[in-house]
Amino acid sequence: MKFMRFERDGAEFYGAIDGNFVKRIEGDIFGAYDVTGDKYPLSEVKALAPVSPPNVIAICLNYSSHAGESGSALPERPVIFIKATTSVIAHEGIIRLPAPAPDEVDYEAELCIVIGKTAKNVSEADALDYVLGYTCGNDVSARDCQRRLDAQWARGKSFDTFCPIGPYIVTDVADPQNLDIKSRVNGKVMQSSNTRNMIFSVRHLISYCSHNMTLLPGTIIMTGTPEGVGFAQDPPVFLRSGDVVEIEVEGVGVLRNTVAEEA
Ligand code: MG
């Protein structure tokens, strides 16, 4: 199943992808629902972020290659930070270069877990039972705030539009630890890795996070990014107005966003 959330005629719906169409859903995708016979061409609906998350939990340094390019030691346990939910935008939404920090805005390709039911103190063995599905995410980051100006990351990771997710929630991912993951800027591949290279697995991250905070339905866990981010390039590559950023996760989809200055 591929879920999407969309807007049509001013109203919001969930739907199930069926070829080039989306079938409208009645009910709650986190509970009981029906896929109706009402369907619309994908070209005639506006994609919304696939979930309006109660929390966006992000993991820093979950690929050793990215820890290396960041000059950071490998973590002994997952290091968690939070992105403001007001930073969430949809597939084809616009990433705005924030007026207070427009110069060092960077991309991070990430596999996102979408939690399906309330999880607290769950074991690694049971962890995948709490997953509704997966989507693509871009952990957009203002590196000047994150790395030099601020003592912690909340601002640099949470400017409005800094959390593109989508386009779909894909439920039938056989093995979340064997997915190619890429980012492209203006068509050029910047990151190319596989989720098998994660330091802490999807199962471990869900279990670990659930022992530290309650994971509500719709919670997004961004699982970290591989090597190839912009600040680690020589010379650095930061996002500029007009750039097109794509995050692709094998079998999950392609998330595409354009960059513009703050309105
Ligand atoms: Mg990240």
Side-chain angles (χ1 to χ4, degrees):
M1 180 83 83
K2 280 187 186 179
F3 293 114
M4 77 174 293
R5 198 162 60 107
F6 64 96
E7 185 180 313
R8 195 171 190 278
D9 299 332
E12 294 181 9
F13 304 97
Y14 265 103
I17 303 297
D18 182 12
N20 291 321
F21 293 84
V22 55
K23 289 182 168 176
R24 188 172 57 81
I25 283 175
E26 280 181 359
D28 178 5
I29 65 163
F30 298 98
Y33 65 87
D34 288 310
V35 179
T36 73
D38 299 342
K39 64 180 186 180
Y40 314 107
L42 284 172
S43 58
E44 292 181 14
V45 302
K46 180 187 175 193
L48 302 173
V51 64
S52 183
N55 274 318
V56 178
I57 298 168
I59 309 299
C60 69
L61 300 180
N62 199 26
Y63 290 78
S64 58
S65 51
H66 176 53
E69 73 181 357
S70 304
S72 305
L74 292 185
E76 294 178 15
R77 68 189 71 82
V79 177
I80 293 173
F81 65 95
I82 298 281
K83 287 173 81 78
T85 55
T86 43
S87 66
V88 171
I89 61 170
H91 174 61
E92 302 285 12
I94 295 175
I95 298 168
R96 297 283 178 183
L97 302 173
D103 296 330
E104 298 185 21
V105 176
D106 204 346
Y107 52 84
E108 292 188 355
E110 309 213 3
L111 172 70
C112 292
I113 304 163
V114 183
I115 294 294
K117 58 185 180 182
T118 300
K120 180 65 180 172
N121 294 334
V122 305
S123 67
E124 283 192 42
D126 293 339
L128 297 188
D129 296 343
Y130 293 82
V131 175
L132 176 65
Y134 300 88
T135 192
C136 306
N138 187 348
D139 176 17
V140 181
S141 308
R143 301 299 189 196
D144 41 4
C145 302
Q146 181 196 1
R147 293 171 63 84
R148 293 197 312 277
L149 300 176
D150 294 358
Q152 56 108 308
W153 294 7
R155 184 171 72 120
K157 293 283 192 176
S158 292
F159 286 107
D160 289 354
T161 74
F162 269 31
C163 189
I165 54 174
Y168 311 127
I169 300 170
V170 179
T171 62
D172 47 355
V173 171
D175 181 2
Q177 295 320 143
N178 187 21
L179 304 173
D180 287 338
I181 180 167
K182 289 186 173 69
S183 66
R184 291 182 288 270
V185 177
N186 303 325
K188 181 182 178 188
V189 175
M190 305 302 289
Q191 296 174 281
S192 180
S193 187
N194 187 285
T195 57
R196 79 171 70 91
N197 297 319
M198 286 183 187
I199 298 170
F200 303 108
S201 69
V202 165
R203 284 179 183 274
H204 186 83
L205 293 175
I206 293 166
S207 177
Y208 181 81
C209 291
S210 80
H211 281 84
N212 290 282
M213 61 186 83
T214 300
L215 306 179
L216 298 172
T219 295
I220 294 282
I221 301 176
M222 303 188 80
T223 58
T225 202
E227 74 280 12
V229 299
F231 83 81
Q233 309 281 331
D234 184 20
V237 174
F238 294 119
L239 298 176
R240 298 291 179 242
S241 183
D243 284 350
V244 177
V245 189
E246 292 173 304
I247 308 299
E248 180 166 6
V249 180
E250 180 183 7
V252 177
V254 179
L255 168 68
R256 182 172 48 248
N257 299 91
T258 300
V259 180
E261 288 171 11
E262 191 168 302

